[in-house]
Amino acid sequence: MTTLIRKVWESVSSRKGSNTESTSSSSSSSSSSLATSSTACLGAFDRVPTDLLMQIVRLVGPKEAAKLSAVCKAWRCLVSDNELWIFFLQNQKKQEEPHWDSFLFSETHLRSGYPLQPFWSQMPQLSFMAIYGQREQVPGSVIIDGGSGYCKFGWSKYACPSGRSATFLEFGNVESPMYSRLRHFFVTIYSRMQVKPSLQPVVLSIPICHYDDTESAKASRRQLKEAIYKVLFDINVPAVCAINQATLALFAARRTSGIVVNIGFQVTSIVPILNGKVMRKVGVEVMGLGALKLTGFLRELMQQNNIGFESLYTVRTLKENLCYVAADYEAELSKNTQASFEATGEGWFTLSKERFQTGEILFQPRLAGVRTMGLHQAVALCMDHCHSAELTDDDAWFKTVVLSGGSACLPGLAGRLEKELHGLLPPSVSKGITVIPPPYGADTAWFGAKLISNVSTFPGPWCMTRKQFRQKSKAKLMW
């Protein structure tokens, strides 16, 4: 570091002969803030422009910059500048949050754990140097997004999940509070990751279930919670954070309040969330139609049109790559919508109207013989309940709709839902409604868990330890 600074100083000195007056003027004006306190400490460097010193500190990196803060008061003042550490944070490894906005959201909204306490008002007082140091000390954690259909797992420091498995095929329904089944599930995940459970915390996303606010539903949720914690602590996991998928999807969209539409494996849930908490008293709407039904309906359409295929996996692949949601279903019927896709091992497939007829059953379930309300009707009903509940002075909290789940990635779905909601609800309620597609595709909930895992205060306010679990009568389990 000394050599680098010496070289830069020599470079500055060599330019004085050709531009003495301009350099002197710049030096005296730029270093005025440091001149008083740096005479004895910085020596010759009090003649170097502050912005040039800042460039030098950026080159030496965060670890060396932190050491400089111990030299003297002047250096400490220089290297503790928030802009410097924002630069370091923005240039961290790609394994961290891919967006600066995500980092800022997590550090200003998720630092305290539950109940959420936004730190926006304290932004000027936040020390990004301290946050950088705290994040460097955050332990890596295992993230398990345990969906009812498919499970994604991996390290919190990785850019994306490192493994996936078909939960419904290998383990049955993970929502079932059966100790042996849950233990088999978690042991298998840790085995595939080739890590010891005792070495790091785990952040677990759980499909929202037992939707009602009745006493029996509360008891069922409590039993499931306790079974999950007991299994994980029995296999020596040091700390556990378990949060439902809908809340994690909302965090991934950098929101703490809104309505999450989670298209799951078997059902679609419409979940109102205020300040990170599921508003079950308002009501969680459930449609008996999910990803499995969408895939099955496309299979029926292909069979009706004599399009052969060897497996349901092929149909699912075609759904993910060719299907979309039409903005206007009736108008789309008269268009040429033919498109082709090559499925591995089975060759080329060409679909036409099947492409948008598949997703249309979300809005017209009767097309697939399903007796339930359409997606737009279920979301509108949820919004109406939120509006009537008057939980806050500002009803804008429920007007952001975040889509979640693999089938929610169908192109056109967000636009169509937003259009239908504006047409279905009165202007007083529909004004300001925004529908956000899954921010990270099918891995949206996993990335929401990643935000929590990398926040500077993790695991403290977010995780429960074995000791706390044993004293659960005095502690509140997060759900």
Side-chain angles (χ1 to χ4, degrees):
M1 182 181 72
T2 304
T3 303
L4 177 61
I5 294 177
R6 185 182 297 115
K7 286 182 178 180
V8 174
W9 174 245
E10 290 172 355
S11 173
V12 172
S13 300
S14 67
R15 292 182 295 179
K16 285 187 176 181
S18 59
N19 197 16
T20 303
E21 292 183 3
S22 61
T23 303
S24 299
S25 175
S26 174
S27 299
S28 60
S29 61
S30 301
S31 61
S32 58
S33 62
L34 294 175
T36 303
S37 60
S38 64
T39 302
C41 181
L42 295 178
F45 291 104
D46 63 350
R47 290 177 288 164
V48 181
T50 305
D51 59 345
L52 185 55
L53 280 176
M54 193 65 77
Q55 290 297 324
I56 296 171
V57 176
R58 287 185 177 189
L59 289 172
V60 301
K63 291 184 179 180
E64 294 298 328
K67 292 178 182 178
L68 283 173
S69 66
V71 174
C72 67
K73 184 177 180 180
W75 275 111
R76 184 164 60 253
C77 179
L78 180 73
V79 302
S80 62
D81 183 78
N82 267 346
E83 289 188 9
L84 173 66
W85 292 93
I86 287 174
F87 169 81
F88 287 143
L89 285 163
Q90 289 177 325
N91 287 274
Q92 276 185 319
K93 295 179 180 179
K94 292 182 179 179
Q95 282 86 348
E96 298 298 329
E97 283 86 43
H99 302 294
W100 170 251
D101 288 345
S102 295
F103 161 82
L104 205 58
F105 168 79
S106 63
E107 292 297 341
T108 54
H109 288 82
L110 307 181
R111 287 169 58 83
S112 64
Y114 281 116
L116 299 183
Q117 298 176 2
F119 283 78
W120 278 116
S121 60
Q122 303 179 29
M123 272 292 289
Q125 288 76 41
L126 283 180
S127 168
F128 285 93
M129 180 179 178
I131 289 175
Y132 187 100
Q134 291 168 351
R135 288 172 75 92
E136 286 293 300
Q137 301 301 316
V138 170
S141 61
V142 170
I143 299 176
I144 303 175
D145 179 12
S148 57
Y150 295 90
C151 171
K152 282 83 72 176
F153 51 88
W155 287 98
S156 60
K157 301 298 182 181
Y158 285 2
C160 61
S162 57
R164 305 168 193 273
S165 63
T167 314
F168 69 101
L169 287 177
E170 298 186 55
F171 310 107
N173 189 348
V174 75
E175 295 180 16
S176 176
M178 295 175 60
Y179 183 93
S180 59
R181 182 176 293 175
L182 289 170
R183 185 182 179 92
H184 173 54
F185 172 72
F186 290 121
V187 168
T188 302
I189 296 300
Y190 276 101
S191 175
R192 291 181 181 178
M193 290 187 67
Q194 298 182 339
V195 296
K196 292 182 178 180
S198 60
L199 297 180
Q200 60 285 306
V202 61
V203 180
L204 175 69
S205 82
I206 308 172
I208 191 164
C209 56
H210 309 297
Y211 307 94
D212 300 333
D213 194 45
T214 61
E215 290 304 316
S216 61
K218 290 179 182 178
S220 297
R221 290 196 297 271
R222 185 164 53 249
Q223 290 173 3
L224 174 58
K225 256 190 304 192
E226 291 178 355
I228 290 172
Y229 277 90
K230 187 175 190 325
V231 168
L232 289 169
F233 288 130
D234 282 352
I235 62 175
N236 295 319
V237 173
V240 179
C241 172
I243 305 180
N244 71 74
Q245 285 180 331
T247 301
L248 292 176
L250 195 64
F251 290 168
R254 301 190 292 275
R255 303 289 194 282
T256 57
S257 299
I259 292 177
V260 176
V261 175
N262 182 50
I263 303 180
F265 187 62
Q266 293 180 321
V267 300
T268 295
S269 307
I270 294 86
V271 188
I273 299 173
L274 178 60
N275 295 327
K277 182 179 180 181
V278 176
M279 296 288 99
R280 283 193 170 84
K281 290 185 178 181
V282 171
V284 176
E285 303 298 332
V286 183
M287 290 174 57
L289 190 156
L292 185 61
K293 188 62 180 179
L294 287 168
T295 304
F297 186 61
L298 176 57
R299 177 185 59 187
E300 292 175 13
L301 293 174
M302 291 174 65
Q303 290 173 336
Q304 290 172 11
N305 295 313
N306 297 316
I307 302 174
F309 54 89
E310 292 184 7
S311 69
L312 194 61
Y313 176 79
T314 300
V315 179
R316 176 180 167 224
T317 302
L318 294 174
K319 179 190 73 174
E320 294 172 350
N321 290 277
L322 287 179
C323 291
Y324 66 95
V325 175
D328 186 326
Y329 179 68
E330 296 300 329
E332 206 75 9
L333 288 169
S334 60
K335 297 179 181 179
N336 180 9
T337 56
Q338 192 174 88
S340 299
F341 180 80
E342 185 178 14
T344 304
E346 290 201 49
W348 287 91
F349 288 84
T350 299
L351 300 181
S352 183
K353 290 182 175 58
E354 302 91 350
R355 297 179 63 207
F356 63 88
Q357 287 174 330
T358 300
E360 187 62 24
I361 67 172
L362 289 170
F363 298 91
Q364 301 187 60
R366 58 180 176 76
L367 295 176
V370 178
R371 299 182 63 182
T372 185
M373 69 180 79
L375 179 61
H376 56 305
Q377 295 167 327
V379 176
L381 182 60
C382 182
M383 286 187 167
D384 185 58
H385 289 163
C386 292
H387 180 70
S388 301
E390 298 182 343
L391 298 177
T392 65
D393 294 334
D394 183 8
D395 64 0
W397 71 270
F398 61 81
K399 293 187 178 182
T400 296
V401 179
V402 177
L403 303 183
S404 176
S407 293
C409 298
L410 287 174
L413 177 56
R416 171 70 178 279
L417 179 57
E418 188 171 318
K419 172 188 171 184
E420 296 287 350
L421 290 173
H422 279 285
L424 197 59
L425 293 164
S428 59
V429 179
S430 65
K431 184 179 179 180
I433 288 177
T434 302
V435 180
I436 302 174
Y440 297 95
D443 299 333
T444 292
W446 193 91
F447 273 92
K450 178 180 167 71
L451 282 184
I452 292 175
S453 300
N454 288 331
V455 75
S456 59
T457 54
F458 187 83
W462 284 101
C463 287
M464 172 170 286
T465 64
R466 183 183 303 180
K467 182 178 179 181
Q468 290 171 327
F469 178 68
R470 289 173 177 171
Q471 300 173 342
K472 61 182 179 292
S473 58
K474 298 180 180 180
K476 293 182 179 180
L477 296 180
M478 290 179 296
W479 192 243

